[in-house]
Amino acid sequence: MVVQRRASEVPSTKILAAFEATGRLGSAVRASQELNVSHTTISKHINALESRLQIKLFERHGSGLRHTKSCQLIHQSVSE
């Protein structure tokens, strides 16, 4: 059985790019520099994705971010 999703259910490429870069670099600041957007934009994209998925993707720490187990699985798929 094929499950079709409406376009509104799939996160935007901007959100996915912010997630991928943040996960790979371990920092919203470094992701913002790489993607040439503000740190606030990256944070909003990550928060939007966490809200949409209803899971926590990163554990925030003073010097950076750590992946949750859910994040590791999703990041691997997005990165491919």
Side-chain angles (χ1 to χ4, degrees):
M1 178 178 178
V2 176
V3 177
Q4 293 183 344
R5 295 191 174 257
R6 295 183 307 213
S8 62
E9 293 179 13
V10 178
S12 73
T13 54
K14 289 180 181 182
I15 288 174
L16 293 176
F19 168 69
E20 189 284 324
T22 302
R24 180 170 37 83
L25 299 169
S27 166
V29 171
R30 283 188 248 145
S32 70
Q33 292 168 342
E34 180 175 290
L35 297 174
N36 199 31
V37 297
S38 70
H39 171 267
T40 302
T41 298
I42 297 293
S43 295
K44 287 181 180 180
H45 287 330
I46 298 300
N47 288 334
L49 187 58
E50 288 178 328
S51 293
R52 176 175 284 205
L53 299 175
Q54 297 181 347
I55 58 173
K56 189 173 183 178
L57 295 169
F58 296 98
E59 293 177 2
R60 284 130 178 107
H61 294 277
S63 62
L65 301 170
R66 291 189 187 152
H67 299 94
T68 62
K69 288 184 182 185
S70 298
C71 177
Q72 290 173 347
L73 295 171
I74 295 167
H75 190 266
Q76 183 177 9
S77 294
V78 170
S79 295
E80 291 174 0

